[in-house]
Amino acid sequence: MKIRVYYEDTDVGGVVYHSNYLNFCERARSEAFYERGMTPILKEGHFVARRIVGNFLSSAKLGDVLEIKSELLKMKAASFLLRQVVYKGTEKVFELEILLAYISFEGKPQKLERETKELLLSLF
């Protein structure tokens, strides 16, 4: 997914706020579902962040066009690990590893069904 950095994403010096990289990655994950006519909220539940490890490598600035690439690293019974990298051209700006857990609408962890696992493999 590509995204342009707008004024609202930056500080007074035009540098992207650190927390906005998390927002950019979230948008990219959601967009993967939207591109297929779906939402990240599935029939039986939805995903929540369980662990996030971020690595800030360089700064993006006002007006930059960023590309977010996502890669599925590992899938478990009720969660999956995803790596997302934010690029400015060919330069790596930010790296994220996020463990996403699948929970019911009541907030209980639940196993990923076969169809959900296949969906995740096709998205990432």
Side-chain angles (χ1 to χ4, degrees):
M1 180 186 116
K2 290 190 179 184
I3 189 166
R4 182 174 301 279
V5 175
Y6 292 101
Y7 188 70
E8 67 183 15
D9 301 320
T10 67
D11 62 17
V12 73
V15 176
V16 172
Y17 286 116
H18 68 281
S19 62
N20 281 333
Y21 292 103
L22 298 176
N23 295 337
F24 298 157
C25 290
E26 171 65 34
R27 289 180 201 162
R29 290 192 305 275
S30 294
E31 190 60 31
F33 287 90
Y34 293 133
E35 286 176 350
R36 288 185 168 77
M38 305 173 71
T39 74
I41 300 170
L42 303 177
K43 185 174 75 174
E44 302 296 326
H46 58 101
F47 302 97
V48 294
R50 187 158 187 283
R51 185 182 73 238
I52 296 174
V53 177
N55 203 7
F56 299 90
L57 305 166
S58 182
S59 294
K61 296 183 174 57
L62 179 64
D64 287 344
V65 175
L66 306 176
E67 183 173 10
I68 299 94
K69 296 182 180 181
S70 304
E71 173 189 9
L72 181 64
L73 298 177
K74 185 187 296 184
M75 194 175 312
K76 294 186 176 182
S79 65
F80 66 100
L81 182 63
L82 195 65
R83 173 182 292 129
Q84 293 183 277
V85 181
V86 179
Y87 291 92
K88 179 173 61 175
T90 58
E91 179 185 11
K92 220 186 261 193
V93 175
F94 177 74
E95 246 178 352
L96 172 78
E97 280 195 9
I98 183 166
L99 180 64
L100 292 152
Y102 189 53
I103 63 170
S104 68
F105 295 113
E106 293 77 35
K108 306 279 186 210
Q110 63 181 0
K111 286 187 176 184
L112 295 164
E113 297 173 359
R114 183 181 52 79
E115 297 84 20
T116 305
K117 286 183 177 184
E118 290 172 0
L119 171 65
L120 293 171
L121 288 169
S122 74
L123 293 175
F124 308 111

